[in-house]
Amino acid sequence: MSIAGHAQFSIVRLARLAGYPNIKNTLQFSTVPSINAYGHSFSPVALQNIVTSQRALQSTASLIQELQSSNESRTDLSVGPESWSSLASAGQQESNAVQPVIRQVNTTRIGKRKNPRSQAEKLAIYQGGKAFRNQMLKDRGSWSYDWRTPLRDLERYHDSYGGGDAVSSYIPEIFEKTRVPHNIHVDQIERPPTWTASTFYTHVVRLTSSNVDRLVARKIYSKGQSHTVAVAETVARLFADPSLKYVVSVAAGNVALRFLFDHGKFARGQDLFGRLQELQKDTDPSTYNIMLGAAAEQKDLHTFTYILKMMVIYKICPNTQTWLHLARAVREDEVRTIIIRRMAEKGLLKDSAVVKKAVALLMPQLVVKYLDSGNKASELIDALDSPYGSEWCSTAAAESLIDGVGVRYTTQEALVILEKLHDRGYRPTQGMLLLFLRQCSRTKAHELAVRFLFVFRTKYTIGPSMQIYDFLFQQAWRNRLYNCCRVLWIHACVKGHTSFEMQRLVKESLYVQPRTSSAEQSRSGAWEETAGK
């Protein structure tokens, strides 16, 4: 129960002890003239203000306990009606901000039986209340929202536990190459004949690696189900099976945790982590880093701090990945720079893989700072070699660099930067091609986009993917380029790269009947109704 729940429960209990047994919640205080308990008189207004005041909620429960524990020595109490009134007036300012939220929650509870809300409305109310609570805690200076707290823990326990990267969990080798299941129901994935730690790990890997196409999933799964949900439920049943508790390993748990958190199954991920602790499995930094990475992805510093505290309690040494997750969890660029600087002071940037991840986190800020100083974009690569060496380039860092240069300069300058990176051994990806196409879309440079497609095909041997076909088709559809849409549709069908959005646009155009009146038919309406035909 929350602090507010404890306070309201205590005051309602006080009202019942005073001779009003029918009082069930604080909304019925208006029907009570006054409450006399333990030799003190409390007005309904004071009690209601105390309940709705966020500052008084923390003191109300302790005051009630003090009144009840000092029932025999009432003369020694220093809490009287004046103290309650002053406490209520002290929180009146915050009460005005909290009252609409409490009124909304109470109205929801009262009208729940007659007017049930939809799932979307309930989720919106829950998210609004959670955001309000987090903002209140952050405004009060809660330690869990201060980035200095996890940074202090990392510095302290990284040194006390010996520093460096902790030994990762043992992952059993899979000698036989198992085929990843494709386009089959999760219940049809073959289970091993005998259960061992290795076969259990292999089966979890096969479950989490299986995939089903969207059109096939509509046939093999019922309405409202998906392959991801089915896999999550199957994995949860495997780890909860009492007969398999002796073959459960931390390596298999890490694979399952990564799958659940990557697909947004946070509740199931927490249950699985609790199951590993219940089985007394020796978790390692990789287990906690998976949860820390999920919190960092959501920029949830509050959850990140609590998971790190749990990591410290179990005396598990943070490693460099934990530091990088903290740098991802913060929102301010200056704070991220401070964290990376502390990593360099402790000698954690000696590994080239760690340097690549650190530079990728700092790249947006480095590009803006360098170009705003009046420097040339062509000299940016040489400027990055000075503090970080020549092995700083990664896919994420290159995409951030190209995007920053393309936005602040021209797409031609970004192409020159890409050629320099390619000469140094960097291989462009389809994501880089999509990045160039988005830049051309912002500037309406359609001829340049065609040139990029040709350059990536001939020089880098990179062709369009489903995401690129979807982007080009939607651009052509939006600009009403009929022949371009036909060519893209034919090539996407041949390659098997027709996305759901492409099929939806064409299908709706085929289904909609054109309007008979020419006055009712606009140019955009005519395009949407006839282009697919």
Short mmCIF file of all heavy atoms in Angstrom, two decimals, residues 165 320 347-357 391:
data_model
loop_
_atom_site.label_atom_id
_atom_site.label_comp_id
_atom_site.label_asym_id
_atom_site.label_seq_id
_atom_site.Cartn_x
_atom_site.Cartn_y
_atom_site.Cartn_z
N ASP A 165 36.24 -6.08 -15.80
CA ASP A 165 35.05 -6.81 -16.23
C ASP A 165 34.92 -8.09 -15.42
O ASP A 165 35.88 -8.86 -15.28
CB ASP A 165 35.13 -7.15 -17.72
CG ASP A 165 34.89 -5.93 -18.58
OD1 ASP A 165 34.38 -4.94 -18.03
OD2 ASP A 165 35.24 -5.96 -19.76
N THR A 320 32.12 -2.70 -17.27
CA THR A 320 32.07 -1.56 -18.19
C THR A 320 30.71 -1.41 -18.85
O THR A 320 30.28 -0.29 -19.16
CB THR A 320 33.15 -1.71 -19.26
OG1 THR A 320 33.02 -3.00 -19.89
CG2 THR A 320 34.54 -1.63 -18.65
N GLY A 347 40.42 3.98 -16.39
CA GLY A 347 41.05 3.07 -17.33
C GLY A 347 40.11 2.07 -17.96
O GLY A 347 40.54 0.97 -18.33
N LEU A 348 38.84 2.44 -18.10
CA LEU A 348 37.86 1.52 -18.68
C LEU A 348 37.70 1.68 -20.18
O LEU A 348 36.90 0.98 -20.79
CB LEU A 348 36.50 1.72 -18.00
CG LEU A 348 36.45 1.48 -16.49
CD1 LEU A 348 35.06 1.75 -15.95
CD2 LEU A 348 36.89 0.07 -16.15
N LEU A 349 38.45 2.60 -20.79
CA LEU A 349 38.33 2.84 -22.23
C LEU A 349 39.53 2.31 -22.99
O LEU A 349 39.91 2.85 -24.04
CB LEU A 349 38.16 4.35 -22.50
CG LEU A 349 36.90 5.00 -21.93
CD1 LEU A 349 36.85 6.46 -22.30
CD2 LEU A 349 35.65 4.29 -22.39
N LYS A 350 40.15 1.27 -22.47
CA LYS A 350 41.31 0.70 -23.15
C LYS A 350 40.89 -0.30 -24.22
O LYS A 350 41.62 -0.49 -25.20
CB LYS A 350 42.21 0.01 -22.13
CG LYS A 350 42.80 0.97 -21.10
CD LYS A 350 43.68 0.23 -20.10
CE LYS A 350 44.26 1.20 -19.07
NZ LYS A 350 45.11 0.49 -18.07
N ASP A 351 39.75 -0.92 -24.04
CA ASP A 351 39.25 -1.88 -25.03
C ASP A 351 38.60 -1.14 -26.18
O ASP A 351 37.84 -0.18 -25.99
CB ASP A 351 38.26 -2.83 -24.36
CG ASP A 351 37.88 -3.99 -25.28
OD1 ASP A 351 38.44 -4.08 -26.38
OD2 ASP A 351 37.02 -4.79 -24.89
N SER A 352 38.89 -1.56 -27.40
CA SER A 352 38.35 -0.87 -28.59
C SER A 352 36.83 -1.01 -28.67
O SER A 352 36.14 -0.08 -29.12
CB SER A 352 38.98 -1.44 -29.86
OG SER A 352 38.71 -2.83 -29.98
N ALA A 353 36.27 -2.14 -28.22
CA ALA A 353 34.82 -2.32 -28.25
C ALA A 353 34.13 -1.33 -27.32
O ALA A 353 33.07 -0.78 -27.64
CB ALA A 353 34.45 -3.75 -27.88
N VAL A 354 34.72 -1.09 -26.15
CA VAL A 354 34.15 -0.13 -25.21
C VAL A 354 34.27 1.29 -25.75
O VAL A 354 33.36 2.11 -25.60
CB VAL A 354 34.84 -0.25 -23.84
CG1 VAL A 354 34.26 0.74 -22.85
CG2 VAL A 354 34.70 -1.67 -23.30
N VAL A 355 35.39 1.60 -26.40
CA VAL A 355 35.58 2.93 -26.99
C VAL A 355 34.53 3.19 -28.07
O VAL A 355 33.98 4.29 -28.16
CB VAL A 355 37.01 3.05 -27.56
CG1 VAL A 355 37.17 4.35 -28.33
CG2 VAL A 355 38.03 2.98 -26.44
N LYS A 356 34.23 2.19 -28.88
CA LYS A 356 33.23 2.38 -29.94
C LYS A 356 31.86 2.69 -29.35
O LYS A 356 31.14 3.57 -29.85
CB LYS A 356 33.16 1.12 -30.80
CG LYS A 356 34.39 0.90 -31.67
CD LYS A 356 34.25 -0.36 -32.51
CE LYS A 356 35.47 -0.57 -33.39
NZ LYS A 356 35.36 -1.79 -34.21
N LYS A 357 31.48 1.97 -28.29
CA LYS A 357 30.18 2.23 -27.67
C LYS A 357 30.14 3.60 -27.00
O LYS A 357 29.13 4.30 -27.06
CB LYS A 357 29.87 1.14 -26.66
CG LYS A 357 29.68 -0.23 -27.29
CD LYS A 357 29.37 -1.28 -26.23
CE LYS A 357 29.18 -2.66 -26.86
NZ LYS A 357 28.90 -3.70 -25.84
N GLU A 391 40.19 3.61 -33.94
CA GLU A 391 39.24 2.51 -33.96
C GLU A 391 37.93 2.88 -33.26
O GLU A 391 37.28 2.05 -32.65
CB GLU A 391 39.84 1.27 -33.29
CG GLU A 391 41.08 0.74 -33.99
CD GLU A 391 41.62 -0.51 -33.32
OE1 GLU A 391 41.04 -0.89 -32.27
OE2 GLU A 391 42.58 -1.09 -33.83
#
